[in-house]
Amino acid sequence: MRQTPAQAHYVRTMAAMAASAAVAADDHGETVGTAYDLQRAQLHQHRIALGNIKSNERKAEAKRAVLPEYDAYLAGVLETKPGSQDEVVATILVWAIDAGDYVRAMPLAEYALASGITPPDHYKRDMASVVQEEIADAVLAGRLSGQDAVAVTQRVLELTAGADTHDQIKAKLHKAAGWAILGKTNSTDVAMDTKGRTLQVCSAALPYLQRAMELDPAKAGVKKDIERLEQRLKK
């Protein structure tokens, strides 16, 4: 249900207060506040609705439709840094990526990573791994492309530079960063005609693909790309 401006302001204010209280909570780190409880209840209802949708494409559309309903709460939470564990932030971050809404996703990713927020329960990975892999998959599949892909992959690399994640996931993110610069995806330009890329683009992409190869020599899937780029740069 859409909120009026007055309701949105109230939710935002209460969310900021709840987040502040959570930072100073007891040793159990329990998040308190009516705004948080209300948003968790709403999240539960949306999860039920999503569970009744079989198509991943339709689920992404449904997530895209409900994301604005959390904006006021999230705006309030983001005012408090660092924050504490927040199921709503964690879930909406993942939903925003699934929905292709990176404008919403990236501030949440920055906040979640800085605050040590863990992913929703069904994820068996830490938040840095989730953000790295979900963004990489979006780029490689072509769901995130163009200059947006370049900007987002670069930001994720910055945000997770010190994170202890699996080499295979790091390799995938570096591959995605290189492909984003080249404008390549899994579904297009498989052979990658390097003649259509400028020397500047080839030079910028190569280090990311080389790093992907270093991290995951067996499965990075960038060997041919590296060879073509090196040949192009030699010429």
Side-chain angles (χ1 to χ4, degrees):
M1 183 175 66
R2 301 292 181 181
Q3 298 168 334
T4 66
Q7 289 172 327
H9 176 73
Y10 174 78
V11 170
R12 177 172 179 164
T13 301
M14 294 302 295
M17 291 174 63
S20 297
V23 173
D26 60 19
D27 292 338
H28 296 292
E30 295 177 354
T31 305
V32 296
T34 303
Y36 180 63
D37 295 335
L38 288 172
Q39 293 297 281
R40 286 185 67 194
Q42 179 172 263
L43 194 65
H44 177 68
Q45 294 302 316
H46 285 153
R47 279 175 170 157
I48 292 174
L50 288 168
N52 293 325
I53 302 174
K54 298 182 179 64
S55 165
N56 288 333
E57 186 176 17
R58 289 188 177 182
K59 281 186 179 180
E61 293 173 355
K63 290 173 182 177
R64 194 176 301 116
V66 302
L67 288 176
E69 298 183 32
Y70 297 89
D71 282 351
Y73 171 79
L74 294 173
V77 169
L78 293 180
E79 291 176 2
T80 305
K81 295 180 180 180
S84 61
Q85 178 60 25
D86 189 311
E87 180 185 358
V88 179
V89 171
T91 303
I92 298 304
L93 165 56
V94 176
W95 284 8
I97 295 175
D98 290 344
D101 192 339
Y102 305 101
V103 173
R104 279 189 172 89
M106 293 312 296
L108 293 176
E110 182 174 356
Y111 178 87
L113 291 168
S115 303
I117 291 175
T118 58
D121 291 340
H122 63 282
Y123 282 89
K124 305 301 181 183
R125 298 164 290 170
D126 59 90
M127 186 61 80
S129 298
V130 170
V131 173
Q132 285 181 337
E133 191 157 29
E134 295 295 323
I135 291 297
D137 285 342
V139 173
L140 299 177
R143 297 191 302 273
L144 174 57
S145 59
Q147 288 304 308
D148 288 341
V150 176
V152 171
T153 51
Q154 291 299 316
R155 186 60 180 141
V156 173
L157 284 167
E158 292 172 2
L159 290 174
T160 61
D164 181 21
T165 57
H166 290 294
D167 288 343
Q168 292 85 348
I169 296 177
K170 290 180 181 177
K172 186 184 290 188
L173 179 60
H174 279 81
K175 176 181 179 178
W179 276 23
I181 294 171
L182 293 168
K184 179 180 177 180
T185 70
N186 279 326
S187 59
T188 62
D189 198 18
V190 176
M192 196 184 67
D193 179 12
T194 56
K195 293 180 181 179
R197 273 76 175 180
T198 66
L199 292 176
Q200 183 179 9
V201 164
C202 293
S203 180
L206 183 58
Y208 293 104
L209 301 182
Q210 290 173 328
R211 181 58 177 151
M213 189 71 171
E214 291 173 355
L215 290 165
D216 190 9
K219 297 182 179 179
V222 296
K223 184 177 180 180
K224 293 295 183 181
D225 291 338
I226 292 172
E227 291 175 354
R228 294 187 184 100
L229 289 174
E230 288 177 338
Q231 290 173 2
R232 170 87 164 105
L233 292 171
K234 284 180 181 179
K235 292 180 180 180

